[in-house]
Amino acid sequence: MDYQAVLEEVAAHARPYVRQGRVADYIPALERVSADRFGIAVADINGDVYGVGDWETPFSVQSISKTFSLALVMAQSHGGHDSIWRRVGREPSGTPFNSLVQLEAENGIPRNPFINAGALVVTDRLQTLTGDASTSMLHFLREESGNEDLAFDQAVADSEAEHGDRNAALAHFMASFGNLENPVPSVIEHYFWQCSIEMSCRDLAVAGGFLARHGLRADGSRLLEAREAKRINAVMLTCGTYDAAGEFAYRVGLPAKSGVGGGIIAVIPGRCTLCVWSPGLDARGNSVAGAAALDHFTTLTGWSVF
Ligand code: GLU
């Protein structure tokens, strides 16, 4: 496969979609990002990386971090008696990512780890397991991506906290059901730091390589059992692209996780991990040009999980 040629063609296809949609504007630090940006990278399972456009420009990972917090928690609990799955479900929510209504009806157990409530529970668990749910994630991402310069974006984290009433409400609500182990302020603070990490398409594609390598890290050591990597990929497919996961699976046919920074990572198990970035979002919160690019990638290559 000539990855470089495929990516060039994918980028040309996606170009008309760049600037479509709306850049996230719920915090000023995201609103300032230019809608013109587009980048895509592929990291194959042997460690080779290819990219086009703004593939080396860092952006705010936002909800893509939810994939890594879940992986880190699963890596440390290995489905044991303290399994995270007692505290969070794995069904699509059918409601917006920051919705409160379902939580009340379902006794404080979030539908899945990729809506905010679910990610807060996972972050809470990571906090208990590591003592620092955001720095442990940053260190993992630095190691996996090979980029020691990865960092939190203080302005984004501060701004998330300033506009964080809804996330605080979700956390307090779950605490009232006994579904948090740590104090609410500490859980939401670490969640905001996780969201604020800045990474490029290159960094994310490389760091997500363990999902394509059936749980093996970049250095060949095992992070997750193969069945655990499969499960994360399955939850990405069914729940990873907000309230549009059905449509996304229909179009692209790959496990994926998006974030409101405009990034999407996608996994082709046994082959490669992709990351695409373009800040214009559709009404559900997925990058318009990013989804078009991944759609075209699987069309051109014929690669999907189906
Ligand atoms: N920091 C965002 C929030 O919790 C994450 C949004 C996202 O990427 O889905 O509201």
Side-chain angles (χ1 to χ4, degrees):
M1 173 68 61
D2 184 347
Y3 280 112
Q4 198 63 38
V6 169
L7 292 184
E8 303 283 351
E9 194 172 337
V10 164
H13 173 87
R15 189 56 57 195
Y17 297 93
V18 175
R19 296 196 69 90
Q20 285 190 24
R22 281 183 60 155
V23 177
D25 57 2
Y26 72 100
I27 55 173
L30 290 182
E31 197 178 7
R32 281 196 288 273
V33 180
S34 162
D36 285 332
R37 313 308 296 265
F38 175 87
I40 183 166
V42 179
D44 78 7
I45 53 167
N46 305 315
D48 295 324
V49 193
Y50 308 83
V52 300
D54 299 314
W55 68 294
E56 291 172 300
T57 305
F59 60 89
S60 192
V61 302
Q62 292 293 325
S63 278
I64 298 175
S65 63
K66 293 173 166 78
T67 313
F68 295 101
S69 48
L70 178 62
L72 290 176
V73 164
M74 286 177 76
Q76 299 210 23
S77 19
H78 288 300
H81 63 281
D82 60 344
S83 169
I84 189 69
W85 301 116
R86 292 166 183 269
R87 298 174 52 195
V88 61
R90 39 191 191 239
E91 288 296 340
S93 68
T95 56
F97 69 100
N98 57 4
S99 168
L100 269 155
V101 282
Q102 222 163 38
L103 264 188
E104 167 135 54
E106 298 182 1
N107 301 318
I109 307 287
R111 272 287 171 98
N112 69 67
F114 294 152
I115 51 175
N116 283 16
L120 288 164
V121 168
V122 173
T123 300
D124 176 57
R125 188 69 197 135
L126 191 59
Q127 179 70 10
T128 302
L129 289 167
T130 64
D132 188 331
S134 49
T135 308
S136 57
M137 179 185 291
L138 182 64
H139 284 157
F140 173 80
L141 292 171
R142 282 181 180 163
E143 274 180 41
E144 283 310 283
S145 67
N147 183 355
E148 275 304 308
D149 296 333
L150 294 188
F152 301 117
D153 183 327
Q154 172 98 42
V156 170
D158 289 349
S159 201
E160 297 279 359
E162 236 170 83
H163 297 83
D165 290 330
R166 163 97 34 167
N167 285 311
L170 291 167
H172 280 291
F173 202 53
M174 291 189 291
S176 79
F177 284 99
N179 199 13
L180 285 188
E181 298 166 337
N182 296 280
V184 167
S186 132
V187 175
I188 56 176
E189 185 188 338
H190 284 281
Y191 168 78
F192 292 145
W193 282 116
Q194 292 169 348
C195 289
S196 83
I197 295 172
E198 294 259 295
M199 293 174 77
S200 65
C201 292
R202 178 223 159 264
D203 298 329
L204 278 162
V206 176
F210 67 90
L211 292 166
R213 287 189 298 267
H214 306 295
L216 291 184
R217 295 185 64 161
D219 66 2
S221 65
R222 186 162 287 287
L223 177 72
L224 299 166
E225 297 301 325
R227 67 172 182 280
E228 293 170 328
K230 177 199 73 178
R231 288 171 178 160
I232 295 177
N233 279 315
V235 180
M236 289 170 76
L237 181 83
T238 53
C239 310
T241 42
Y242 303 112
D243 199 10
E247 174 66 15
F248 195 90
Y250 176 86
R251 282 181 71 189
V252 177
L254 292 177
K257 181 74 202 88
S258 53
V260 294
I264 310 176
I265 59 166
V267 185
I268 307 181
R271 287 193 193 270
C272 60
T273 303
L274 296 128
C275 181
V276 61
W277 172 54
S278 193
L281 308 177
D282 64 20
R284 302 284 183 72
N286 296 308
S287 168
V288 176
L294 292 171
D295 182 353
H296 201 59
F297 184 93
T298 53
T299 303
L300 276 179
T301 58
W303 291 353
S304 91
V305 294
F306 301 108

